[in-house]
């Protein structure tokens, strides 16, 4: 019996290792594949942030885009026909969040659904006394824990084209994916070392409460006030602000900027603009 259990464990380990090895080989091949010139044109046109990146990051990003496109299923919904323009524009922005890090390529994700515009999805509200109601509400993007991310194409394009308004639905929803990698949606993604969690929690909690107070006081905020909804939305909105309003964030929220800079291993204030 013991022998049988050991054999079964060995077979499972071999299968896992085999899959991991094949995936590594496939990724290496994708990272080394020349980037299609037509795709680069799409990115230069639709994702102006790309044109500000140093050459080494552009090259790294091109590799990440190839992996993300190969490993995820993109589907047009609500009558939208899927095109390379849509896939590449989304993957380029999702790839920016992986630059300079040991990329895990969003392991919880396998499908990206894209609607032409705002889409309706069901919100379940608890009415009390074991009663629930499903209400359709309009959304621009959603990140599900069960491997699906949903985006509105017009919002994706608008968010990418304006690189300084702090609104970018792709950064927002893929930041949720990073947050969800450890199984919880709580504004705390997987960090490199255990010792980083305490400063992360201290700074993000302080800044989240500060944003809540500022919003309650009706004062102007650097970050979108939607970040005051809960800690998960705070991290997603902080990510949008970090990449699109880095100067303002660094000036007004230096600790938050530094902690995100060390998490993303990027320093967007150096990218000009
Ligand atoms: Zn969100």
């Amino acid at each position: 019996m013991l022998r049988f259990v050991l054999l079964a464990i060995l077979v499972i380990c071999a299968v896992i290792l085999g899959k991991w090895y094949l995936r590594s080989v496939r990724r290496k091949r994708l990272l080394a594949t020349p980037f299609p010139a037509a795709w680069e044109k799409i990115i230069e046109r639709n994702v102006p942030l790309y044109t500000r990146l140093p050459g080494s990051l552009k090259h790294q990003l091109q590799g990440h885009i190839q992996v993300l496109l190969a490993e995820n299923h993109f589907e047009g919904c609500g009558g939208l026909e899927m095109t390379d323009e849509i896939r590449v524009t989304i993957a380029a922005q999702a790839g920016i969040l992986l630059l300079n890090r040991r990329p895990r390529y969003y392991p919880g994700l396998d499908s990206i659904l894209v609607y032409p515009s705002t889409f309706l999805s069901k919100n379940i509200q608890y009415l009390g006394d074991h009663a629930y109601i499903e209400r359709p509400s309009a959304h621009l993007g959603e990140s599900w824990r069960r491997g699906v991310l949903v985006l509105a194409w017009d919002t994706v394009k608008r968010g990418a084209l304006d690189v300084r308004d702090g609104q970018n639905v792709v950064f927002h929803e893929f930041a949720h994916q990073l947050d969800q990698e450890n199984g919880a949606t709580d504004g705390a993604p997987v960090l490199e070392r255990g010792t980083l969690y305490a400063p992360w929690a201290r700074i993000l909690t302080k800044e989240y409460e500060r944003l809540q107070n500022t919003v309650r006081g009706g004062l102007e905020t650097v970050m979108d006030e939607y970040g005051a909804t809960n800690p998960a939305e705070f991290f997603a909105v902080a990510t949008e602000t970090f990449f699109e309003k880095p100067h303002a964030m660094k000036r007004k929220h230096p600790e938050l900027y530094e902690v995100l800079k060390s998490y993303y291993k990027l320093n967007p204030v150096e990218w000009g603009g």
Side-chain angles (χ1 to χ4, degrees), residues 35-231:
F35 197 70
W39 288 7
E40 185 159 24
K41 282 212 173 72
I42 292 172
I43 306 173
E44 285 170 351
R45 194 171 61 237
N46 287 357
V47 189
L49 195 58
Y50 172 80
T51 61
R52 298 178 181 196
L53 297 178
S56 61
L57 290 183
K58 277 186 187 166
H59 181 71
Q60 213 187 108
L61 182 58
Q62 291 174 358
H64 290 343
I65 292 167
Q66 313 240 46
V67 174
L68 289 170
L69 291 180
E71 294 189 357
N72 290 285
H73 169 69
F74 286 73
E75 193 171 320
C77 301
L80 184 77
E81 192 192 328
M82 187 47 64
T83 61
D84 273 359
E85 182 185 10
I86 298 173
R87 290 166 6 106
V88 170
T89 302
I90 292 169
Q93 296 170 83
I96 288 174
L97 305 193
L98 305 178
L99 290 170
N100 281 352
R101 307 198 297 132
R102 202 163 56 196
R104 300 184 70 215
Y105 296 108
Y106 306 105
L109 185 64
D110 58 41
S111 287
I112 295 153
L113 311 183
V114 189
Y115 284 83
S117 189
T118 310
F119 53 90
L120 292 177
S121 65
K122 284 175 185 156
N123 263 2
I124 299 174
Q125 271 181 13
Y126 183 55
L127 302 175
D129 203 20
H130 305 293
Y132 294 86
I133 187 168
E134 280 188 350
R135 277 212 183 97
S137 61
H139 291 267
L140 306 170
E142 274 184 354
S143 172
W144 302 355
R145 263 193 258 177
R146 295 182 307 278
V148 179
L149 199 141
V150 194
L151 293 164
W153 172 230
D154 59 354
T155 313
V156 168
K157 266 206 298 194
R158 211 172 35 244
L161 281 175
D162 190 336
V163 288
R164 287 292 169 249
D165 66 350
Q167 309 274 337
N168 184 306
V169 71
V170 178
F171 288 161
H172 184 105
E173 300 305 336
F174 279 84
H176 280 319
Q177 281 292 316
L178 293 174
D179 184 7
Q180 289 159 355
E181 272 180 29
N182 57 7
T185 312
D186 55 5
V190 177
L191 303 178
E192 244 183 344
R193 293 186 303 281
T195 51
L196 297 174
Y197 285 94
W200 178 278
R202 182 179 63 75
I203 293 165
L204 269 87
T205 303
K206 189 173 81 179
E207 292 284 348
Y208 167 58
E209 288 170 358
R210 184 176 158 194
L211 181 65
Q212 284 189 312
N213 289 335
T214 315
V215 170
R216 265 197 294 268
L219 301 169
E220 206 179 311
T221 57
V222 176
M223 287 173 56
D224 190 284
E225 47 186 65
Y226 186 61
T229 308
N230 58 45

